[in-house]
Amino acid sequence: MLLQVVTFGTLTMVLGCCCLAPRDMKLTKKRALLVFLLLFVCWLALYVARPLYLPFLGEFLISADPLQKADAIIVLAGDDAVGSRVAEAVSVVREGWSEVLMVSDAPIAWGVTSGELARQQAAVLGISPTQIVAVSNRSPAGRGLLLDSTLSESRLLLAECQKRNFRTIIVVTSNFHTRRAKRIFDRLFKDAGIRVLIHPSADESFRVDHWWTRRADARMWLLEMEKLAFSYVELP
């Protein structure tokens, strides 16, 4: 899909230059044919070799830090249908990196919150309810804080971490989301003196090695690249 867009744009540009050029500068038929043949060969080479370089574009979205002992393991909202983020966070708890599992408790449907679902799943996986901290997005006045982005969620979690005097945290999120999450959390938490370690979880909606072979994966890659670019606007 990406190669088709690039090829179409290149061909359009070449045709435009040929049409707008003065008569004495226009390409001859042989030269025009040569240009198209060269473009076709380049496109064919890129298409055939795509398994060699497109995986790197998928890996670009992924960031992972070596794990260390932390005050809490934070699971970001927006988990997939099988709870991959929570499952990975529970594995990190079992490995002994932290005893506290923190989730943002945001409404995701009528009468259902992300914190409630995470608590239930973690309990099934063997985590004690006393180890789970659900950070509510509601103030004492009953007004909810809008958690419509990673930035707004990070601000909510930062306030809770400061209140608990945390100094190191492990943030668990989907693999495709880790680079953007790392940038946002590092920018906000660094000023508060809190160290952030990013840990990816596998996600059924994004296969890193073959993301260009499925429409859903390609859509996720494009969307995440757009959000990553916008993060530099909302948080310079």
Side-chain angles (χ1 to χ4, degrees):
M1 181 179 63
L2 293 176
L3 294 178
Q4 292 173 350
V5 172
V6 173
T7 304
F8 178 77
T10 303
L11 291 175
T12 302
M13 182 175 63
V14 171
L15 289 174
C17 291
C18 293
C19 294
L20 295 176
R23 289 185 177 181
D24 57 346
M25 296 180 61
K26 287 186 177 180
L27 297 175
T28 64
K29 291 183 178 180
K30 290 184 178 180
R31 290 179 179 176
L33 179 60
L34 179 61
V35 170
F36 280 108
L37 286 176
L38 288 175
L39 288 173
F40 176 76
V41 171
C42 291
W43 176 87
L44 184 61
L46 289 173
Y47 181 79
V48 173
R50 67 191 187 284
L52 299 178
Y53 61 88
L54 286 181
F56 291 101
L57 296 180
E59 293 171 1
F60 172 76
L61 295 178
I62 301 177
S63 178
D65 296 318
L67 295 181
Q68 298 181 9
K69 277 284 189 177
D71 297 300
I73 298 168
I74 296 178
V75 184
L76 298 188
D79 208 347
D80 59 16
V82 296
S84 300
R85 296 183 184 183
V86 174
E88 183 62 30
V90 169
S91 297
V92 176
V93 171
R94 287 177 172 173
E95 291 174 3
W97 297 110
S98 180
E99 297 181 355
V100 178
L101 186 62
M102 180 181 291
V103 296
S104 55
D105 196 18
I108 57 177
W110 186 86
V112 180
T113 65
S114 58
E116 179 184 354
L117 290 179
R119 188 188 299 273
Q120 292 177 1
Q121 182 183 352
V124 171
L125 295 176
I127 299 299
S128 170
T130 59
Q131 295 178 258
I132 304 174
V133 177
V135 184
S136 175
N137 72 321
R138 293 200 170 276
S139 65
R143 296 180 178 178
L145 302 174
L146 185 60
L147 297 183
D148 59 347
S149 66
T150 303
L151 179 58
S152 60
E153 184 178 15
S154 63
R155 285 170 173 162
L156 173 71
L157 294 169
L158 173 59
E160 185 68 21
C161 289
Q162 288 178 312
K163 185 170 67 175
R164 294 175 179 268
N165 294 319
F166 287 165
R167 288 294 172 262
T168 303
I169 61 171
I170 299 173
V171 176
V172 177
T173 188
S174 300
N175 51 9
F176 61 83
H177 184 225
T178 48
R179 178 171 292 275
R180 180 161 59 96
K182 179 174 179 60
R183 180 182 184 276
I184 292 174
F185 273 80
D186 279 347
R187 293 295 299 274
L188 291 181
F189 281 63
K190 182 178 180 180
D191 293 338
I194 302 175
R195 186 180 184 187
V196 178
L197 305 175
I198 298 293
H199 185 71
S201 69
D203 193 292
E204 64 175 7
S205 62
F206 186 73
R207 297 179 302 177
V208 179
D209 295 335
H210 301 87
W211 63 269
W212 66 93
T213 62
R214 291 195 314 172
R215 184 181 297 272
D217 296 270
R219 185 188 305 115
M220 181 61 71
W221 186 86
L222 290 170
L223 179 62
E224 190 58 32
M225 287 296 292
E226 177 187 345
K227 290 182 177 180
L228 178 61
F230 184 73
S231 72
Y232 286 86
V233 177
E234 65 178 354
L235 189 64

